[in-house]
Amino acid sequence: QVQLVESGGGLVQAGGSLRLSCAASGRSFSRYGMGWFRQAPGKEREFVADISWTGVTYYTDSVKERFTISRDNAKNTAFLQMNSLKPDDTAVYYCAVRYGSRRFDTSAYDAWGQGTQVTVSS
């Protein structure tokens, strides 16, 4: 089974940027679709972005034109570049891997990282 470790979270002012990383180990990275989710206190975990093994990307409407998902299969790493951050982006961000073609729902993903905290101050 694949193991995922997120990093790169932190505290940033509104309008700032962060780049999250997701390092995978234990299994071939390139064959998986990868997603980013986030969960704010008291809320359900929500879809943020997804990238297929072929590089097809999807974003939730609230982050379009601000966030960019990418992957480096040679390094077994996925990224989420977050620009123009807003306080509403504050959440724990989770990386996830999927083996199937279904995406967006948490149930579509088969392995999860531990999460990294992103806090955007106003």
Side-chain angles (χ1 to χ4, degrees):
Q1 182 67 277
V2 65
Q3 290 81 46
L4 304 173
V5 179
E6 302 96 333
S7 61
L11 176 64
V12 64
Q13 290 185 328
S17 298
L18 286 172
R19 181 183 289 264
L20 306 183
S21 298
C22 175
S25 63
R27 197 167 176 176
S28 177
F29 181 73
S30 63
R31 297 194 299 269
Y32 310 149
M34 303 293 297
W36 287 97
F37 289 74
R38 64 188 182 187
Q39 188 166 21
K43 295 186 177 181
E44 297 292 321
R45 191 169 298 187
E46 69 168 333
F47 172 80
V48 176
D50 182 276
I51 184 167
S52 75
W53 67 275
T54 57
V56 179
T57 60
Y58 294 86
Y59 301 91
T60 192
D61 285 345
S62 63
V63 308
K64 287 179 180 176
E65 301 179 335
R66 298 190 299 122
F67 291 10
T68 302
I69 188 171
S70 61
R71 65 193 297 167
D72 184 341
N73 290 342
K75 297 181 178 180
N76 295 325
T77 304
F79 304 94
L80 186 69
Q81 177 67 44
M82 305 186 295
N83 298 325
S84 301
L85 283 162
K86 305 174 181 179
D88 285 349
D89 296 318
T90 296
V92 177
Y93 282 71
Y94 296 91
C95 178
V97 64
R98 57 176 173 85
Y99 303 112
S101 60
R102 190 167 64 92
R103 53 174 65 85
F104 308 135
D105 296 335
T106 58
S107 62
Y109 297 80
D110 302 288
W112 296 82
Q114 84 289 348
T116 186
Q117 177 71 48
V118 171
T119 302
V120 184
S121 65
S122 60

